[in-house]
Amino acid sequence: MSDSTRGTPANIAPATGKLAIFTPGLGAVATTFIAGVERVRRGLSVPIGSLTQMATIRLGKRTDNRSPMIKEFVPLAALNDIVFGAWDPIPDDAYTAATKAGVLTKDDLEPVADFLKGIKPMPAVFESRYVTRITGATNVKTGATKRDLAEQLRADMRNFMAANGATRGAMVWTGSTETYIKPGPQHQTIEAFEKAMDENDDSIAPSMLYAYAAIMEGVAYCNGAPNLSADFPALIDLANKKGVVISGKDFKTGQTWMKTVIAPGMKARMLGLEGWYSTNILGNRDGEVLDDPASFKTKEESKLSVLHTILQPDKYPELYKDFSHVVRINYYPPRGDNKEGWDNIDIKGWLGYPMQIKVNFLCRDSILAAPLVLDLALFSDFAQRAGMKGIQEWLSFYYKAPTVAAGLQPEHDLFIQQTKLKNTLRHLMGEEQITHLGLEYYQ
Amino acid sequence: MSDSTRGTPANIAPATGKLAIFTPGLGAVATTFIAGVERVRRGLSVPIGSLTQMATIRLGKRTDNRSPMIKEFVPLAALNDIVFGAWDPIPDDAYTAATKAGVLTKDDLEPVADFLKGIKPMPAVFESRYVTRITGATNVKTGATKRDLAEQLRADMRNFMAANGATRGAMVWTGSTETYIKPGPQHQTIEAFEKAMDENDDSIAPSMLYAYAAIMEGVAYCNGAPNLSADFPALIDLANKKGVVISGKDFKTGQTWMKTVIAPGMKARMLGLEGWYSTNILGNRDGEVLDDPASFKTKEESKLSVLHTILQPDKYPELYKDFSHVVRINYYPPRGDNKEGWDNIDIKGWLGYPMQIKVNFLCRDSILAAPLVLDLALFSDFAQRAGMKGIQEWLSFYYKAPTVAAGLQPEHDLFIQQTKLKNTLRHLMGEEQITHLGLEYYQ
Amino acid sequence: MSDSTRGTPANIAPATGKLAIFTPGLGAVATTFIAGVERVRRGLSVPIGSLTQMATIRLGKRTDNRSPMIKEFVPLAALNDIVFGAWDPIPDDAYTAATKAGVLTKDDLEPVADFLKGIKPMPAVFESRYVTRITGATNVKTGATKRDLAEQLRADMRNFMAANGATRGAMVWTGSTETYIKPGPQHQTIEAFEKAMDENDDSIAPSMLYAYAAIMEGVAYCNGAPNLSADFPALIDLANKKGVVISGKDFKTGQTWMKTVIAPGMKARMLGLEGWYSTNILGNRDGEVLDDPASFKTKEESKLSVLHTILQPDKYPELYKDFSHVVRINYYPPRGDNKEGWDNIDIKGWLGYPMQIKVNFLCRDSILAAPLVLDLALFSDFAQRAGMKGIQEWLSFYYKAPTVAAGLQPEHDLFIQQTKLKNTLRHLMGEEQITHLGLEYYQ
Amino acid sequence: MSDSTRGTPANIAPATGKLAIFTPGLGAVATTFIAGVERVRRGLSVPIGSLTQMATIRLGKRTDNRSPMIKEFVPLAALNDIVFGAWDPIPDDAYTAATKAGVLTKDDLEPVADFLKGIKPMPAVFESRYVTRITGATNVKTGATKRDLAEQLRADMRNFMAANGATRGAMVWTGSTETYIKPGPQHQTIEAFEKAMDENDDSIAPSMLYAYAAIMEGVAYCNGAPNLSADFPALIDLANKKGVVISGKDFKTGQTWMKTVIAPGMKARMLGLEGWYSTNILGNRDGEVLDDPASFKTKEESKLSVLHTILQPDKYPELYKDFSHVVRINYYPPRGDNKEGWDNIDIKGWLGYPMQIKVNFLCRDSILAAPLVLDLALFSDFAQRAGMKGIQEWLSFYYKAPTVAAGLQPEHDLFIQQTKLKNTLRHLMGEEQITHLGLEYYQ
């Protein structure tokens, strides 16, 4: 605990014992996350990109010079207390999966090879109808009903936690994008949802079973894909009832992250938008999956909503009404895991004069996503210990399509999301809100 | 006054009578600003890019749905109450100058040609040693001392305001970048400054005379160039003593605006920076002036400071220590007034893996600057009526190198600047600060 | 005739009388072409982009200094001898069509408005099943059979030429891209083709009727779209029999032009290719038409073939086997007629090390195409007068998918195409071939 | 010898015995070249980028299908017959130097580490006044006069060749760019040049001593830097007298290579040019050296000349007169050896309408240069055996600033250079020139 903070409020339970982080999916993102945490624990790497590990938080006035590390201010689980559990339909251990993913170099994997080889995926709940382009899915659970499969997942978690001495768990979906599903009557109440599981209803996708199992086990659930998963009344109600925190959907990395940086900058200056064309090339498994139009539709919905919510065309018709927004994703094998985006942005300024911004982002998908897995798990675990439950809007910062309370617009502006995140931490820890007013220096 | 606001606090003087907006410099920026305001007044154009004319401000809770236009919330001068005064060493009237600048099309200038032809520049204080690349400077004041020249500027303002029925004034520097000057003993006290004017000291540049004259006349001063101008103790003290608001320096448009959008986005996610290379091509008078190394140095200082202040290398050595930052400006005539920037940004993520962002901004210098002139004049006039004086840190939003109180770091993050600006308006109008906490929706 | 040439060979008929240039399609390309020629004739503009008007051709040794203008070396029709005939399903005259196309500014159109208003499209052969996204097609021929429609087109040409005193004609297809058609038995012989016209066979698209009509009338035919049109044995044989020159397909402008510049440069240096990703955004009628997958398929075939033919993967498997080639076209209205391409090229060098080239081309579709219409018409007319007939491979220079003799690969390398074009002109005019050997300067 | 060729003409001496390739400079380029050749010899890599190793050459008609590998058509030295000699002021062996250069990965260097460690640089002729930014120059020859130093270099070559059983030698300058030197009277005759060496005249730079020594020893000389080196009458005459081939200057890689690809493409289509802005960022020793304005001037001269010679503004004033051409090079350490260029090209088309091309080239300097070293050495050795001497204009293909006969313009167009190279090979081997006329297929 840093001197610069005032001590943890009494109502927040301490981070005693191990924290199990469960990842459905042991592919590029999950293995990059796990290998990275282990490298950091061994002092070999720096956890760049993670707020829980790297960021500070300003407390009080600017001239107070109180800016502790978040991890010293907030009682988060320590990296050394994390244990990793995973499911995957492909039976490769974490070392093999990481090698195939090709994200981390051999030089970076070798020193933690022993550790990674010890992480073997539990058999997954998987159906190729929901993710059409994956082959080699041999490590798969069987069960008479979807309810039965969910119960197997619950047992997996109980067993894993017992075996590893974990006192708490957080699940972060790092699996593939499923085909598009609209919420139906099966998703409105927990009773309807459980009945649908019993009846093997098509509208119940595997990611929903994971979410259901987590919530039932008191394990926080974070959804890194655009899948519906936990984002419907039945599971939201269940989370509230069980005192479990949930958040989602779809890690905000790469192009959408950049979009939620630039669009607020444009709007801050009241510059108009004529059109925004975004294309992506990527060559990994994700790219193959999204080559299926049904999976792409799920992703596209997630990616398209961002601009309208930030720009508020209803409020600013002269600036943002009827802009063109095109998002394309193309499978392009030479790129490998190194996703690349090209954006063309047509803006208009004073008297309507046009200008253009082009952004070419040579990024790395899993490198951007891995620290988000860590932060979401640690913050969710903390929130649950602080007595929070249900939707965690303050974690919108990490998501392309934030889940929010019914009746609210999701907030997509990265900087409002950041303010919300930091002010929530301040609030939970009993510190004052920061407003950046600062007139006191001039009086 | 909108129903959604609670009325103007009693301590704010109403915007009665005309507001004189004075621009030293009647070139591309000033004529684009003036022609634009006149087009908007005649209903021919939309003042895109201006917060005072286009933006709303959220008041209260999200679900209150109170988001009036800023201009309905805050008692700003109306566009119809603005009168324009200008100085320029080149004697062209505003129509001729606008035509030569080539920013606005003939189609846009013709309908307001009559108005623009009526705006003739007063003789300027000008010395080619401070701005080396300007030719044709025939409309220039003469005087025995710099003090004498400053007094002539004061008389110009008094005469103009009397002739035009103006009750208040605001001056926005829209002239060229002067050669680099470091503050010396001549700039520490108003006595030393006045003595230096009397002695025609080289360290007193023309833009300082304009600033001095404005402050002495009770006219708000805003500095759109990186010139030292009013950013030293002598004139800051004078402004405080005279109850005049000042702000500066250097309009934040184009590449630096984009930089202060992207750098905060990168830092929000704790992504590291290896290097940022920025090059600019521009073909207007500004480009010619900056081809002189002495003027470029002034500009470079202004442009280079931005990243270090946002990224805080001292606080985040693992992320931001020793990054390369190169800024280049090249005179390239084919571009005309359409400045173009190309940025290459080398970032690093999880475990230090490198990524790259390239931004190509095809922008229009004067189109981006013109609405800033308007906003700064209107907000400065409002602040002065609200009893503010001296440095207006909340106007940092508009500047590349914000002037702040001694002992404070300038804030460069566009989004913190925006929060500061909006929360200042809320504060002055007696509304609550917005913190984006928003936990009430989940309880 | 320039002094630097040796006179026109006797077997070439002089360009006596008027030349009728017929354009099926009076849209953006055709009106830009016509308005431009008229502006050039009136001395208002320069015909940039046209080899027939602007280029020189080197004759003899470098030190001979013989480089006449092509138009002085080769007996081409003069611009003043051109008369314009057009068909279009939309009844707008050339002035209205040009205004709607939005390619040329009002300032450029007004001085030739009188001329353009006089050009009214003849009723077109049009069926929306072949071009699905065009609306307002009211200026359309009717006829019992396709043969009958073709005969109407022949009569149109005869009447137009008689009315305008034209001695020769050249038709350049400037209409839309039709849906994809594979050559079938109907396209193998002229008898089968005529029978299919009589029977209104679906495999006979409108552009084939235009090509047939032109050839029957002795009018050269040039195909600016990827439509099959004249590129099958029946019409090739007919052209040879009638002594008519034909060429095609698909104007090489924009991205494909650039591709056939860069790919030869890469191959010249034996650099390998891992992948080439090309995306296009365009907002004109062409963009709308290509939004129909059936039309896009025709275009895609045309665009994809380019790289394989230039790079010869069979000959260079270590360099060019199995590269990814993705081409996308997206309708994006803010771009208007200003097509924009973004290419990402993944190359590999010494020992296989990867490098990347990104090309962003902000181009103007019709501006690039218009001079090609002129050159093709003038060169085709010349070739026919020089006794050439059938396929003109030397005009490959202008096409994305050059039509060549059966059994030959089309040549896509822009520089080989250019050499072929210029050496063909030299050959026809009795000059020596240029080989760039040039050892004589060192002996 | 391939069946597809007709046998080597009798006047060409066979490639018997070893060929010594001498590189003044054992830095990034030379070590990448040497390590690569050794990897290729061991079957570990493919010599991508090398025409002598990878390219084919078409002989006869297209339908003859005679396209042998160049190395099977022309009697070149075999890779296995190459021995490597180098000088460098820094005493690192080739393995250490390659490791420091950071071009090739550890994985690629290790398998040939034994070989590279055996290559130790001979003491260099070096003076820091000609290359100002190099530190650690301890492996340097001393001598009373420059003539004496040149004699030491000659002895080095004789000794190396004797020790390694080499029958022929070729020297390729792979050292740094020297400060700018204009040819003076000292460079006009061999007598004046030798006198200047005796007198330690400042106008005699180290690279000239290497060139002189090579020519005196009958060793072909190729100049990979923009240094004057051998490009003046004294050494050209000497080369002709001694029957030695020479060529230069400045490897055409990266941005200039791309420029000589795109400019001919633009000119082929008679598109005009308003301006070309080129900026480069690079982080290796070359970047440091070019940060010195005196070295940059040498480079800039070399880079700027390219466009004017290709575009011929005198012949095409309406298209190419008075375009802006700006070239910038910036030292930017994060880029390492991976040079990156950004070009903005402003072109104009039909009627003068503007368009833009932006090219971002993420290249690798030494990867592009290494195969050029190999080709130049092998082709020069071949040419000398074929009885050629003096300037080899047909090797212009490899150079930014080709050396040509007095009175000729250098040819910069990559495709004309390629034609010249291939037709020269055909000529020397007794094959017909290729003209691409090809009318025979249509008769």
Side-chain angles (χ1 to χ4, degrees), chain C residues 105-185:
Chain C
T105 63
K106 208 178 137 189
D107 282 356
D108 282 345
L109 287 175
E110 283 316 313
V112 292
D114 56 328
F115 181 80
L116 295 173
K117 283 175 184 164
I119 297 177
K120 292 180 177 58
M122 298 178 273
V125 176
F126 177 80
E127 256 190 283
S128 65
R129 63 178 299 166
Y130 296 99
V131 180
T132 62
R133 304 281 164 106
I134 286 185
T135 55
T138 59
N139 189 41
V140 174
K141 287 191 196 313
T142 53
T145 66
K146 295 186 175 185
R147 178 76 164 261
D148 180 39
L149 294 169
E151 292 301 327
Q152 291 182 42
L153 292 172
R154 294 181 62 184
D156 284 348
M157 283 185 267
R158 284 191 303 268
N159 295 338
F160 180 90
M161 291 176 71
N164 288 279
T167 57
R168 292 115 44 225
M171 181 187 287
V172 186
W173 177 271
T174 59
S176 293
T177 298
E178 299 174 332
T179 53
Y180 187 66
I181 294 175
K182 273 186 109 88

Side-chain angles (χ1 to χ4, degrees), chain D residues 44-164:
Chain D
L44 300 172
S45 284
V46 178
I48 297 177
S50 162
L51 271 71
T52 58
Q53 306 306 308
M54 303 287 294
T56 61
I57 183 164
R58 184 186 129 198
L59 304 176
K61 290 183 48 175
R62 274 187 276 177
T63 42
D64 291 353
N65 285 323
R66 283 203 304 146
S67 288
M69 297 289 283
I70 284 178
K71 67 178 178 185
E72 291 170 357
F73 171 56
V74 180
L76 302 175
L79 291 193
N80 281 327
D81 286 337
I82 296 174
V83 290
F84 302 98
W87 296 266
D88 202 281
I90 296 170
D92 296 335
D93 65 42
Y95 177 76
T96 307
T99 302
K100 287 185 184 171
V103 177
L104 301 181
T105 63
K106 208 178 136 190
D107 282 357
D108 283 345
L109 286 176
E110 284 315 313
V112 292
D114 55 329
F115 181 80
L116 295 174
K117 284 174 184 166
I119 297 177
K120 292 179 177 57
M122 298 177 274
V125 175
F126 177 79
E127 256 191 283
S128 64
R129 61 178 300 166
Y130 296 100
V131 180
T132 63
R133 303 283 163 106
I134 285 185
T135 54
T138 60
N139 189 42
V140 174
K141 288 191 196 313
T142 53
T145 66
K146 294 186 176 185
R147 179 76 164 262
D148 180 39
L149 294 168
E151 291 301 326
Q152 292 181 41
L153 292 171
R154 293 182 62 184
D156 284 349
M157 283 184 267
R158 283 192 303 269
N159 295 338
F160 180 91
M161 290 177 70
N164 287 279

Side-chain angles (χ1 to χ4, degrees), chain D residues 264-279:
Chain D
M266 193 168 74
K267 187 192 176 193
R269 281 291 177 88
M270 289 285 107
L271 296 167
L273 182 68
E274 294 288 342
W276 194 311
Y277 172 81
S278 299
T279 191

Side-chain angles (χ1 to χ4, degrees), chain A residues 58-249:
Chain A
R58 183 185 130 198
L59 304 176
K61 290 182 50 175
R62 273 188 276 178
T63 42
D64 291 353
N65 285 323
R66 283 204 303 146
S67 289
M69 298 288 283
I70 284 178
K71 68 178 177 185
E72 291 170 357
F73 171 55
V74 179
L76 302 175
L79 290 193
N80 282 327
D81 287 336
I82 295 175
V83 289
F84 302 98
W87 296 266
D88 203 281
I90 294 169
D92 296 336
D93 64 42
Y95 177 77
T96 306
T99 302
K100 287 186 184 171
V103 177
L104 301 181
T105 62
K106 206 178 139 190
D107 282 358
D108 282 345
L109 286 176
E110 284 316 314
V112 292
D114 56 329
F115 181 80
L116 294 174
K117 284 174 184 165
I119 297 177
K120 292 179 176 60
M122 297 177 276
V125 175
F126 177 79
E127 255 191 284
S128 65
R129 62 178 301 167
Y130 295 100
V131 180
T132 62
R133 303 281 163 108
I134 286 185
T135 54
T138 60
N139 189 40
V140 175
K141 286 189 198 314
T142 53
T145 67
K146 294 186 176 185
R147 178 78 165 259
D148 180 39
L149 293 169
E151 291 301 325
Q152 292 182 41
L153 292 171
R154 293 182 62 183
D156 284 349
M157 283 185 267
R158 283 192 303 269
N159 295 338
F160 180 90
M161 290 176 71
N164 288 279
T167 57
R168 293 116 44 225
M171 180 187 286
V172 185
W173 177 271
T174 58
S176 293
T177 298
E178 298 174 334
T179 53
Y180 187 67
I181 294 174
K182 273 187 108 90
Q186 303 91 331
H187 304 95
Q188 299 309 313
T189 65
I190 186 60
E191 294 73 25
F193 181 79
E194 291 184 335
K195 182 156 172 289
M197 285 197 291
D198 287 333
E199 295 175 351
N200 286 334
D201 192 301
D202 282 353
S203 69
I204 308 298
S207 76
M208 298 174 191
L209 302 182
Y210 283 93
Y212 170 81
I215 298 168
M216 291 298 285
E217 291 300 314
V219 165
Y221 182 72
C222 309
N223 179 11
N227 308 331
L228 201 53
S229 208
D231 190 13
F232 46 80
L235 293 191
I236 295 169
D237 290 350
L238 186 67
N240 277 309
K241 206 174 96 192
K242 294 273 181 187
V244 173
V245 306
I246 60 174
S247 65
K249 306 186 306 262

Side-chain angles (χ1 to χ4, degrees), chain C residues 186 220 258 279 309 333 429:
Chain C
Q186 304 90 331
M258 186 54 75
T279 191
T309 323
M429 299 302 293

Side-chain angles (χ1 to χ4, degrees), chain D residues 291-331:
Chain D
D291 226 31
D292 172 6
S295 288
F296 177 67
K297 183 166 166 50
T298 310
K299 194 77 177 183
E300 193 183 26
E301 289 268 323
S302 168
K303 295 187 84 142
L304 279 178
S305 61
V306 166
L307 287 184
H308 278 84
T309 323
I310 292 177
L311 298 177
Q312 301 174 286
D314 290 343
K315 190 173 288 179
Y316 296 111
E318 289 174 307
L319 299 174
Y320 305 123
K321 196 155 169 285
D322 299 327
F323 62 83
S324 295
H325 189 194
V326 179
V327 175
R328 291 290 174 267
I329 298 180
N330 292 112
Y331 180 50

Side-chain angles (χ1 to χ4, degrees), chain B residues 383-406:
Chain B
Q384 206 159 311
R385 282 185 283 111
M388 310 278 277
K389 62 185 179 183
I391 299 165
Q392 302 299 298
E393 190 184 354
W394 64 289
L395 296 177
S396 293
F397 180 71
Y398 294 106
Y399 293 115
K400 270 196 201 77
T403 302
V404 293

